[in-house]
Amino acid sequence: MTDTIQINGDRLWSSLMEMAKIGATDKGGVCRLALTDVDKAARDLFVKWCEQAGCTVTIDRMGNIFGRREGKRADLPPVMTGSHIDSQPTGGKFDGIYGVLSGLEVIRTLNDAGIETDAPIEVSAWTNEEGSRFAPAMVSSGVFSGVFDLEYGLSRADLDGKTMGEELERIGYAGDAPVGKPVRAFFEVHIEQGPILENESKTIGVVTDAQGQRWYEVTFTGQEAHAGPTPMATRRDALLGAARVIEAVNRIGLDHAPLACATVGLVEVHPNSRNTIPGRVFFAVDLRHPNDETLSKMDAALRVAVADVAQALNLETELNEIWYSPPVPFDADCVAAVRRAAEANGMAHRDIVSGAGHDACYISRVAPTSMVFIPCEGGISHNEIENATPEHVAAGCQVLLQAMLERAQAT
Ligand code: GLV
Ligand code: MN
Ligand code: MN
């Protein structure tokens, strides 16, 4: 009776806590920016654990890692799960890595129970999901899914000009496997990163859709000048322009409430000197909405705001949309498999739309896909205090196991 086997929640929790030591921060989170030495250390540990679980490990040219457990039918593509190892600069212990280690726990559980599935089972770790060090987010699952070409992926650069290709070579994760292959079904388990499940005392979020996102980079150029002698009326202050656009971005989010989100999270001021009027400012804008039409309206409003501010303050402008990820409807059968698994365990559940981007969003373009969410404390994520209970962590992994087993059957 393969549907009654239980994952080992204690083992999953202790693997998560062991992994959280790599890149640990003082406030209890992790800083594991993509392709840094700490990302390498965490990858090494994951690969070691996969090998100890008897998996064959493959690394592709984007540094995506796959741990494979063979099934009875070598002709069937794998049923895959996975997420990401990298984190935000002030990230938590669960975002991403929970999905990776849950996949490993599924394989460990199948090993313990001596179960041979029809389709192979694979656990994946996708390079640079966060998009924090290298934009955009989900870039390597994007290459896997044919959304971006390999050259684009490898040439993504950080603010110091280092490319993903160079950094993959440097840390020894520029693999030789081609990027992309057939996948029978893909499931990703993740913390919700918002407050809905906790507020409603639900254990499982059955993720039906993910909202769309548009990312922009804006540069305002004015003129550096002395902060003392330069009269207010003649200034061309690029930071003042950015401040006005930041206010406008917030307004765009509020104007499209309740579902819109609009954020400026990155600002670089030049020359960043307290007594020089800022001559150049670079900043990033993140707009999100589950409805593509509304997202387009938000896009138009941003463009008007940037143009108006530039004109009013006599600034030169560069506005580039660097990423567009449309809203994603997940596969109805995979969504139903997650719901069935939650129900079979008597877990309180509800359907939910993902506010965050996930590798599953891109994998859904090439394989039937869905996601499993669990609550996180206070709905807080992208923060060192991010937290989840061992019970919820185990519940999400149990649902993952059962959904994967269902899809791994040949008939
Ligand atoms: C990924 O973490 C995102 O920004 O949604
Ligand atoms: Mn994540
Ligand atoms: Mn994240």
Side-chain angles (χ1 to χ4, degrees), residues 84 95-96 129-130 190 358:
H84 58 100
D95 179 359
E129 186 276 348
E130 290 290 1
H190 206 283
H358 296 287

Side-chain angles (χ1 to χ4, degrees), residues 295-320:
L295 192 56
S296 296
K297 288 186 187 146
M298 294 166 69
D299 168 85
L302 173 70
R303 291 174 192 279
V304 168
V306 169
D308 286 355
V309 167
Q311 196 185 22
L313 297 177
N314 192 18
L315 302 173
E316 286 154 34
T317 311
E318 207 183 309
L319 167 63
N320 294 318

Side-chain angles (χ1 to χ4, degrees), residues 84 88 95 129-131 137-138 190 193 213 215 286 288 323 354-358 381-382:
H84 58 100
Q88 291 286 315
D95 179 359
E129 186 276 348
E130 290 290 1
M138 298 139 54
H190 206 283
Q193 307 184 278
Q213 308 188 43
W215 282 16
D286 174 323
R288 305 189 189 203
W323 187 42
S354 174
H358 296 287
S381 181
H382 285 194

Side-chain angles (χ1 to χ4, degrees), residues 6-212:
Q6 296 291 313
I7 63 103
N8 183 332
D10 290 340
R11 177 171 57 192
L12 172 57
W13 186 261
S14 65
S15 295
L16 270 166
M17 294 307 117
E18 186 65 27
M19 190 59 98
K21 292 179 187 163
I22 301 178
T25 60
D26 290 346
K27 292 184 191 157
V30 297
C31 176
R32 251 186 344 243
L33 292 178
L35 308 185
T36 54
D37 291 349
V38 282
D39 184 14
K40 172 187 165 44
R43 285 163 173 265
D44 289 349
L45 182 58
F46 171 60
V47 167
K48 185 177 96 178
W49 283 344
C50 283
E51 285 171 348
Q52 285 171 349
C55 294
T56 310
V57 174
T58 308
I59 297 163
D60 73 16
R61 292 180 64 195
M62 284 306 298
N64 297 317
I65 304 170
F66 303 90
R68 179 182 176 95
R69 182 180 190 273
E70 294 300 344
K72 286 181 214 156
R73 296 270 305 268
D75 58 311
L76 296 179
V79 172
M80 192 185 280
T81 186
S83 192
H84 58 100
I85 290 175
D86 67 315
S87 83
Q88 291 286 315
T90 53
K93 293 193 283 284
F94 301 89
D95 179 359
I97 194 66
Y98 167 47
V100 175
L101 295 181
S102 289
L104 178 64
E105 177 54 37
V106 164
I107 288 174
R108 288 169 166 171
T109 301
L110 294 175
N111 289 346
D112 289 352
I115 286 172
E116 211 185 350
T117 51
D118 290 338
I121 298 287
E122 287 197 20
V123 53
S124 52
W126 304 98
T127 301
N128 184 42
E129 186 276 348
E130 290 290 1
S132 176
R133 180 177 177 200
F134 305 96
M138 298 139 54
V139 67
S140 306
S141 50
V143 176
F144 185 94
S145 310
V147 176
F148 307 123
D149 61 33
L150 180 63
E151 210 169 299
Y152 173 87
L154 294 176
S155 63
R156 293 308 84 212
D158 67 9
L159 291 174
D160 297 328
K162 290 185 182 144
T163 65
M164 284 186 62
E166 288 159 6
E167 288 294 88
L168 278 168
E169 291 284 352
R170 187 186 69 77
I171 68 165
Y173 275 87
D176 49 20
V179 188
K181 60 181 176 183
V183 175
R184 184 171 166 87
F186 184 83
F187 296 94
E188 180 172 356
V189 60
H190 206 283
I191 55 169
E192 180 200 334
Q193 307 184 278
I196 297 170
L197 297 177
E198 185 181 73
N199 286 347
E200 296 186 10
S201 299
K202 303 288 193 218
T203 300
I204 296 294
V206 178
V207 187
T208 56
D209 301 82
Q211 67 178 344

Side-chain angles (χ1 to χ4, degrees), residues 88 130-131 137 211-218 249-250 252-253 260-266 283-289 295 298 302 322-323 355-357 382:
Q88 291 286 315
E130 290 290 1
Q211 67 178 344
Q213 308 188 43
R214 288 177 179 267
W215 282 16
Y216 308 82
E217 290 177 349
V218 184
V249 165
N250 190 59
I252 290 167
C261 292
T263 307
V264 174
L266 169 70
F283 59 102
V285 181
D286 174 323
L287 302 182
R288 305 189 189 203
H289 200 281
L295 192 56
M298 294 166 69
L302 173 70
I322 60 155
W323 187 42
H382 285 194

Side-chain angles (χ1 to χ4, degrees), residues 159 218-220 224 237-240 242-243 246 266-274 276-283:
L159 291 174
V218 184
T219 304
F220 275 147
E224 283 120 53
D237 183 339
L239 183 56
L240 179 61
I246 292 168
L266 169 70
V267 180
E268 284 198 323
V269 182
H270 180 81
N272 214 21
S273 170
R274 65 192 75 209
T276 295
I277 296 161
R280 193 176 69 245
V281 174
F282 168 90
F283 59 102

